[in-house]
Amino acid sequence: MDTLNELIAENLKKIREAKKLSLDNVAKLSGVSKSMLDQLERGEANLTLSSIWKIANGLKISFTQFVSIADADIEVVDMFDMNPLLEDEGRVIIYPVFPFDNSRRFEVYSLTIKPGGCLSIKPYLPGTEEFIRVHSGKLILCLENKEFIIDKDNSIRFKSDIFQLYKNIYHETCALSMLIHYPT
């Protein structure tokens, strides 16, 4: 696969066809226009992270099913070989380290949030849990109406079927790992 767009295009088409859905059906389920979905399947559209989340939630699948390549028994991941997803004008860098696999029911991301960076995530499916570990810097995590400050070397676990906002208002870059576990 040459680019992330081509990988997403191929995976979306496979998923849509496996679920026996038309582009119209996916548009209705996700809130993303049929024309955008068509462009995406042809590898001609650059989607934002929020658009991919909308499609994933509409199809009731994991986000990383769009960006994953078939599994091997052993996998060594080199961050420099990955195509990161950029949000908030590049202030949030997201690496899908271990994509979702139905047999494991989880996915792992590595995130870098530069000073002033912000990432908004819509609620996941009910029963989904998230595990965050901050490796450097400091994270402000807003869950619904509660705000948590997570310092370096600390972690938090929560039910992620709620609105989430990740912020770095500090002068140091925040690096964190995110594991998302999906219900069966």
Side-chain angles (χ1 to χ4, degrees):
M1 212 54 48
D2 289 336
T3 68
L4 184 59
N5 280 354
E6 291 171 351
L7 180 61
I8 291 172
E10 182 180 309
N11 288 341
L12 173 59
K13 188 168 186 171
K14 283 180 187 175
I15 293 164
R16 182 178 63 77
E17 289 175 348
K19 290 181 172 275
K20 298 181 181 2
L21 295 171
S22 68
L23 288 174
D24 281 324
N25 295 132
V26 176
K28 288 175 188 166
L29 292 169
S30 67
V32 175
S33 73
K34 178 183 173 182
S35 61
M36 175 61 82
L37 291 166
D38 184 50
Q39 288 176 357
L40 175 61
E41 279 196 3
R42 292 191 318 262
E44 298 172 356
N46 288 318
L47 280 182
T48 64
L49 181 62
S50 62
S51 293
I52 297 171
W53 282 119
K54 282 182 187 179
I55 298 167
N57 282 333
L59 293 173
K60 298 192 181 343
I61 62 169
S62 159
F63 165 81
T64 56
Q65 285 182 269
F66 288 119
V67 294
S68 64
I69 300 171
D71 264 352
D73 287 339
I74 297 173
E75 183 178 5
V76 176
V77 178
D78 184 340
M79 297 285 281
F80 297 106
D81 291 337
M82 298 177 76
N83 291 315
L85 303 165
L86 304 177
E87 283 293 311
D88 194 18
E89 299 177 356
R91 289 187 292 260
V92 179
I93 305 166
I94 304 164
Y95 294 92
V97 180
F98 292 107
F100 179 80
D101 178 288
N102 202 36
S103 65
R104 290 190 290 264
R105 310 295 311 156
F106 71 86
E107 58 192 338
V108 177
Y109 296 93
S110 178
L111 281 78
T112 301
I113 305 175
K114 295 178 182 177
C118 185
L119 176 66
S120 171
I121 298 179
K122 294 184 178 178
Y124 291 94
L125 299 172
T128 304
E129 283 188 292
E130 204 160 314
F131 303 79
I132 306 293
R133 176 140 193 331
V134 175
H135 301 286
S136 66
K138 193 182 287 194
L139 172 70
I140 295 179
L141 177 61
C142 302
L143 303 172
E144 295 278 305
N145 299 323
K146 295 180 183 175
E147 185 173 283
F148 301 88
I149 298 173
I150 315 300
D151 292 313
K152 175 184 173 186
D153 296 329
N154 289 314
S155 304
I156 185 170
R157 179 196 59 81
F158 56 92
K159 298 281 186 191
S160 51
D161 53 357
I162 56 175
F163 176 79
Q164 305 159 45
L165 183 65
Y166 296 75
K167 298 189 296 187
N168 180 1
I169 62 169
Y170 305 101
H171 297 291
E172 182 182 352
T173 295
C174 177
L176 60 101
S177 295
M178 173 190 292
L179 183 142
I180 304 169
H181 182 264
Y182 296 88
T184 52

